[in-house]
Amino acid sequence: MSAAATRTSGQDHLWSVDDHLKDILATVQPLEPIELNLLDAQGCVLVDEVTVALSLPPFDNSSMDGYAVRVSDVEGASEEFPAVLTVIGDVAAGAAGLLEVGPGQAARIMTGAPLPPGAEAVVPVEWTDGGLGGGPVSGMRARSLSPEDATGQVRVHRPVEARAHVRAQGSDAKAGDLALAAGTVLGPPQIALLAAIGRGTVRVRPRPRVVVMSTGSELVQPDEELASGQIYDSNSFALTAAARDAGAIAYRVGAVTDDAETLRSAIEDQLVRADLMVTTGGVSVGAYDVVKEALTAIGEDENDSGENDSGEGEGEGEPEAGHGVEFRKLAMQPGKPQGFGLIGPDRTPLLALPGNPVSSYVSFEVFVRPAIRTLMGLEDVHRPRTKAVLRADKALTSPVGRRQFLRGTYRDGTVTPVGGAGSHLIAALAQSDALIVVPENDTSLEPGTEVEVLLLG
Amino acid sequence: MSAAATRTSGQDHLWSVDDHLKDILATVQPLEPIELNLLDAQGCVLVDEVTVALSLPPFDNSSMDGYAVRVSDVEGASEEFPAVLTVIGDVAAGAAGLLEVGPGQAARIMTGAPLPPGAEAVVPVEWTDGGLGGGPVSGMRARSLSPEDATGQVRVHRPVEARAHVRAQGSDAKAGDLALAAGTVLGPPQIALLAAIGRGTVRVRPRPRVVVMSTGSELVQPDEELASGQIYDSNSFALTAAARDAGAIAYRVGAVTDDAETLRSAIEDQLVRADLMVTTGGVSVGAYDVVKEALTAIGEDENDSGENDSGEGEGEGEPEAGHGVEFRKLAMQPGKPQGFGLIGPDRTPLLALPGNPVSSYVSFEVFVRPAIRTLMGLEDVHRPRTKAVLRADKALTSPVGRRQFLRGTYRDGTVTPVGGAGSHLIAALAQSDALIVVPENDTSLEPGTEVEVLLLG
């Protein structure tokens, strides 16, 4: 007789939501860092601090399209009495082999191009005649079409101070400066900085690979025909989407029938690509709750490798911390039955969620999402919480001793319940964007009460 | 001589940020809907309303693991004087060919299994002896290990009312009900509902394919060696990441040199996979600003197809609305020079952003992100805005007549500027999570002032 069939001892103890979560987060460890290409690291957490290898900008360069000049050459210049300078050529962005600007000379210079030797400042093209011999111009003609503009003379209509329109080498960041601290989450601006300092790859904690598997002989794929007594599998779709939303790379495994051997083999097949496994269904007190049966055995095989080769678990007591999957009852509604543990040769974390669609979704938000974000090394692992005024026609009732999570819509500091407490109410779930948290000791919440809300958006 | 070289007319008009944005959003149209597999539609917008095809649940079913009974058979039952019923078998979830529960009989039933004919309610297993002949049990033994528990007798310790622990057919949603309204964004709960009602595919507006191309002969790939006058390309990385964040499928094209023919050919090559193109650099008043040169020609080819096959544009005036790419100066800092238009045979929208890293990133947030989200059919296309109290050591100054976007960090209703106004300050950008908006007519903002903030997070 397997442990799953009789291990009722300890199951009458109700775990609190907080203790179950604490156990999960104390067990799940951030993934080992890997070196990823910059764009593959988007959304990931930087492991080491990154320092600036070369100064930004790497050289003094122009912040305008204009003319690189010597300050004394344009002193006192005006439109009426322009300074007339000889244009010795172009300095384009990316140019090497620089011109040298001597007295009475100017180099036409483009934004981002290095300030040539001899030049002290840049005069914007709009302060000149652009070499065309007329009044002020609004821009340059394309080099490819008017190469002659890179030579000849330019009339400068205004003086400039030294370093005007010049971005100094290192004015953005200096070599040796801290670019990004360890623990930074890499969004577009952080990726911009890493690229700018020449980092094409970066060491981060990777996105966890999460395998989502629903169980239940009653489950049928959408778009197929339902036979009598069957329903469509929705959990594997919902939780795969939710895992992605949390930051994971999620793999959906279709529904597995309620047969322990089949399930065990399906799980073992998936372990190779899983940093975290999530199952739904089969964790309660029924005679067909095969997740318990199958996972207890995998857990114990692993713990006692070599010593217990029968493939059937025998231990009746609590598994050791971090060994095998433990099934618990939680002081929570929905989501009372939960399994959690480490399985397989790599001690892969597995969360076994209840099978009712609302139960599994709420359990995901409360337990799996923080686990995924812990694997990623994020500090901010939870959904944001806020206070909201309850807007309802009548009081909400909740069983004593259970933390209840009701579905609701949050708008501007108020929350309105959607649908009832039933854990099968998917239609109402799909209209909600928040979970209303009713604490363990509250059995009734009056309209107008301030309540705690988890924002799902 | 190409239009790009001389079309200075009209360029001195400063467009407002709002007018440029309005023009973009009036031109960009939501993408044509396609039918996608459910998980591929995550984050997409539903085009048609979806009604419930079959009721949820599709049949009366048990909400507990227990025994399906006739109410009169358990009337007055207690632990001392239990009702003793004959167990006629199991009803598992997914079972077809139902048992019929007669007087004095019970069927062992699992959560989700159809209520068998004759039964009126479900007694939870915890209110029985589980068929074991002792006191109350906390669960059932696994069917696979104790098949005999599906027969024999069960002692029921408590009465139940009719329909107790039964979820009625249609109690979640009834056939014909509205499941999801047109315009709904598909997150995990909405995907759950679609799966639950049997929809394996769904008609949505697809994610836009966005091609990001940076231009500049000075640009080098990260991890390569910098020669004199060169810098690393960061824009193509930042904007590819930002396009993904906005919901797009983004393709990064490496930096293209400042040569009009090369650029034109690179853009034409990419058009086939682009719903939107974004370029950076080459849009200002310099002699090497080839984006203007190249795109004006493509635009005019398109306008005048067949009539102007020289490949060189000739029109000096403003392009017609929606035809070709128009280059503008905006009353904006950073981000003054901008290009926008439709190009190629499919009139693909193209936004040509300035090349300074901060300019291109701010331009992306203000113009490109809303364009991407408009292509997706989203209603909520803008970054969230909020008011915040300016926390700074001294007043912020801003040029008159320009809307300035400064980088800052937002915390609990206050915003603190990070770095200066320079559009090359990537390091400061990477530390910020908000843009401080300084209106056109404000030239100075004192510490303590309430300012408008765009939240980037």
Side-chain angles (χ1 to χ4, degrees):
Chain A
M1 183 178 301
S2 97
T6 57
R7 201 175 66 204
T8 53
S9 64
Q11 289 208 344
D12 292 316
H13 167 69
L14 282 188
W15 282 65
S16 72
V17 171
D18 291 339
D19 283 348
H20 184 61
L21 180 60
K22 197 182 296 176
D23 187 28
I24 292 168
L25 298 188
T27 306
V28 170
Q29 298 297 320
L31 294 175
E32 285 300 310
I34 59 175
E35 189 90 13
L36 287 180
N37 286 326
L38 219 41
L39 285 173
D40 294 334
Q42 187 174 359
C44 294
V45 173
L46 198 62
V47 175
D48 315 302
E49 69 173 33
V50 173
T51 52
V52 178
L54 89 165
S55 291
L56 277 183
F59 44 85
D60 289 352
N61 69 91
S62 179
S63 69
M64 303 291 280
D65 299 312
Y67 293 85
V69 299
R70 300 165 81 95
V71 169
S72 58
D73 283 344
V74 296
E75 213 176 318
S78 66
E79 202 167 330
E80 198 178 354
F81 302 104
V84 182
L85 303 177
T86 303
V87 181
I88 58 170
D90 276 357
V91 193
L98 296 178
L99 301 168
E100 179 150 357
V101 176
Q105 296 183 329
R108 199 161 69 152
I109 191 168
M110 310 304 148
T111 306
L115 189 71
E120 297 158 325
V122 171
V123 181
V125 65
E126 294 91 341
W127 298 3
T128 75
D129 71 348
L132 301 179
V137 293
S138 62
M140 299 172 187
R141 298 191 293 191
R143 159 75 180 184
S144 59
L145 302 161
S146 306
E148 70 278 9
D149 291 0
T151 57
Q153 288 187 325
V154 65
R155 280 167 181 73
V156 174
H157 301 146
R158 289 170 60 174
V160 283
E161 295 188 351
R163 310 296 292 171
H165 310 114
V166 174
R167 299 169 182 152
Q169 177 186 31
S171 56
D172 186 3
K174 289 190 174 48
D177 279 359
L178 177 69
L180 296 172
T184 299
V185 183
L186 300 181
Q190 292 75 37
I191 287 172
L193 177 56
L194 289 168
I197 62 173
R199 292 288 299 260
T201 64
V202 66
R203 202 152 155 269
V204 294
R205 300 200 187 275
R207 298 178 174 280
R209 299 161 304 157
V210 174
V211 172
V212 177
M213 191 181 287
S214 55
T215 71
S217 299
E218 76 278 24
L219 300 179
V220 172
Q221 294 302 300
D223 282 343
E224 294 183 6
E225 281 293 312
L226 282 191
S228 165
Q230 297 183 323
I231 60 171
Y232 289 111
D233 174 24
S234 64
N235 287 345
S236 67
F237 291 92
L239 301 195
T240 301
R244 284 186 194 160
D245 261 5
I249 297 163
Y251 303 110
R252 178 186 156 267
V253 176
V256 178
T257 54
D258 288 329
D259 173 73
E261 266 316 312
T262 307
L263 177 64
R264 191 179 291 137
S265 141
I267 289 174
E268 281 168 356
D269 285 352
Q270 294 295 333
L271 277 176
V272 66
R273 64 167 175 173
D275 296 311
L276 175 73
M277 290 216 47
V278 180
T279 64
T280 66
V283 295
S284 191
V285 298
Y288 295 74
D289 282 343
V290 295
V291 172
K292 265 182 183 172
E293 208 182 328
L295 292 186
T296 305
I298 289 182
E300 293 183 355
D301 269 3
E302 211 37 50
N303 294 340
D304 310 328
S305 53
E307 296 173 32
N308 174 0
D309 56 6
S310 69
E312 288 195 271
E314 294 177 348
E316 308 281 288
E318 297 286 318
E320 289 177 59
H323 284 208
V325 174
E326 185 178 327
F327 292 90
R328 299 168 178 172
K329 287 182 179 168
L330 265 62
M332 175 175 179
Q333 185 188 66
K336 184 178 178 186
Q338 299 278 347
F340 168 64
L342 302 176
I343 61 167
D346 297 323
R347 301 182 164 280
T348 306
L350 182 142
L351 283 95
L353 311 183
N356 286 319
V358 179
S359 308
S360 72
Y361 178 70
V362 169
S363 302
F364 186 97
E365 290 294 347
V366 175
F367 301 120
V368 184
R369 186 181 165 94
I372 288 172
R373 296 174 69 81
T374 298
L375 287 166
M376 295 178 74
L378 292 163
E379 281 191 14
D380 181 17
V381 301
H382 296 294
R383 286 287 193 189
R385 285 163 185 259
T386 189
K387 295 282 182 185
V389 175
L390 181 63
R391 179 176 287 174
D393 296 333
K394 54 182 174 30
L396 298 183
T397 59
S398 173
V400 66
R402 301 272 202 105
R403 187 179 302 182
Q404 197 180 37
F405 294 88
L406 294 166
R407 276 63 65 202
T409 53
Y410 175 82
R411 296 285 178 282
D412 302 326
T414 70
V415 68
T416 309
V418 182
S423 56
H424 66 299
L425 301 175
I426 314 177
L429 176 65
Q431 302 301 328
S432 69
D433 59 12
L435 295 176
I436 304 169
V437 186
V438 187
E440 285 79 350
N441 295 328
D442 287 345
T443 55
S444 176
L445 290 179
E446 294 296 325
T449 313
E450 197 179 67
V451 294
E452 190 177 19
V453 163
L454 251 72
L455 301 176
L456 302 175
Chain B
M1 185 179 298
S2 96
T6 56
R7 201 176 66 206
T8 53
S9 64
Q11 289 206 347
D12 293 316
H13 168 68
L14 282 187
W15 282 65
S16 73
V17 172
D18 291 339
D19 284 347
H20 184 63
L21 180 61
K22 198 182 295 174
D23 186 29
I24 292 169
L25 297 188
T27 306
V28 170
Q29 298 298 319
L31 294 176
E32 284 301 308
I34 59 173
E35 189 89 13
L36 286 181
N37 285 327
L38 219 40
L39 285 174
D40 294 334
Q42 185 173 359
C44 294
V45 173
L46 199 61
V47 175
D48 315 303
E49 69 173 32
V50 173
T51 53
V52 178
L54 91 166
S55 292
L56 279 184
F59 44 84
D60 290 352
N61 70 90
S62 179
S63 69
M64 303 289 282
D65 299 312
Y67 293 86
V69 299
R70 300 164 81 97
V71 169
S72 58
D73 283 344
V74 296
E75 214 177 316
S78 67
E79 200 168 331
E80 199 178 353
F81 301 106
V84 182
L85 302 175
T86 303
V87 181
I88 58 170
D90 276 356
V91 194
L98 297 177
L99 301 168
E100 177 150 357
V101 176
Q105 296 182 331
R108 199 163 69 153
I109 192 168
M110 310 304 148
T111 306
L115 190 71
E120 297 158 323
V122 172
V123 181
V125 64
E126 294 91 340
W127 298 2
T128 76
D129 71 347
L132 302 178
V137 293
S138 61
M140 299 173 186
R141 297 191 294 193
R143 160 74 179 186
S144 60
L145 301 161
S146 306
E148 68 279 8
D149 291 359
T151 57
Q153 290 187 324
V154 66
R155 281 167 181 72
V156 174
H157 300 146
R158 289 170 61 173
V160 283
E161 294 189 352
R163 311 294 293 173
H165 310 115
V166 174
R167 297 168 183 152
Q169 178 185 32
S171 57
D172 186 3
K174 290 190 174 47
D177 280 359
L178 176 70
L180 295 173
T184 299
V185 183
L186 300 181
Q190 293 75 36
I191 287 172
L193 177 56
L194 290 168
I197 63 173
R199 293 287 300 259
T201 64
V202 67
R203 203 153 155 268
V204 295
R205 299 201 189 275
R207 298 178 175 282
R209 298 161 305 157
V210 175
V211 172
V212 178
M213 190 182 287
S214 54
T215 71
S217 300
E218 76 277 26
L219 300 178
V220 172
Q221 295 302 301
D223 282 344
E224 294 182 6
E225 281 293 314
L226 282 191
S228 166
Q230 296 183 323
I231 59 170
Y232 289 111
D233 173 25
S234 63
N235 288 344
S236 67
F237 291 92
L239 301 194
T240 300
R244 284 185 194 162
D245 260 6
I249 297 164
Y251 303 110
R252 177 186 156 267
V253 176
V256 178
T257 54
D258 289 329
D259 172 74
E261 265 317 311
T262 307
L263 178 64
R264 192 179 291 138
S265 142
I267 289 175
E268 280 167 355
D269 284 352
Q270 295 295 332
L271 277 176
V272 66
R273 64 167 176 174
D275 296 311
L276 175 73
M277 290 215 48
V278 180
T279 63
T280 66
V283 295
S284 192
V285 299
Y288 295 74
D289 282 343
V290 294
V291 172
K292 265 183 181 172
E293 206 181 332
L295 293 185
T296 304
I298 288 184
E300 294 181 356
D301 268 1
E302 209 38 49
N303 295 340
D304 310 330
S305 52
E307 294 174 33
N308 173 2
D309 54 6
S310 70
E312 286 195 276
E314 293 177 348
E316 307 282 288
E318 295 286 317
E320 290 176 55
H323 285 209
V325 174
E326 185 178 327
F327 291 89
R328 300 168 177 170
K329 287 182 180 168
L330 264 63
M332 176 175 177
Q333 186 188 62
K336 183 179 181 187
Q338 299 277 345
F340 168 63
L342 302 175
I343 60 166
D346 297 324
R347 300 183 163 281
T348 305
L350 181 144
L351 284 96
L353 311 184
N356 285 321
V358 178
S359 308
S360 72
Y361 178 70
V362 169
S363 302
F364 186 98
E365 290 294 346
V366 176
F367 302 119
V368 184
R369 186 182 167 93
I372 288 173
R373 296 174 69 82
T374 298
L375 288 166
M376 295 179 74
L378 291 164
E379 282 191 14
D380 181 19
V381 301
H382 296 293
R383 285 287 191 190
R385 283 163 187 261
T386 189
K387 295 282 182 185
V389 174
L390 181 63
R391 179 176 288 174
D393 296 333
K394 53 181 178 15
L396 298 184
T397 58
S398 174
V400 67
R402 302 276 201 101
R403 187 177 302 180
Q404 196 180 39
F405 295 89
L406 294 166
R407 277 64 65 202
T409 55
Y410 175 82
R411 296 285 178 281
D412 303 326
T414 70
V415 68
T416 309
V418 182
S423 56
H424 66 298
L425 301 175
I426 315 178
L429 176 66
Q431 302 302 328
S432 69
D433 58 11
L435 295 177
I436 304 169
V437 185
V438 186
E440 285 79 349
N441 295 326
D442 288 345
T443 54
S444 176
L445 290 179
E446 293 296 324
T449 312
E450 198 180 62
V451 294
E452 190 178 18
V453 163
L454 251 71
L455 300 176
L456 302 176

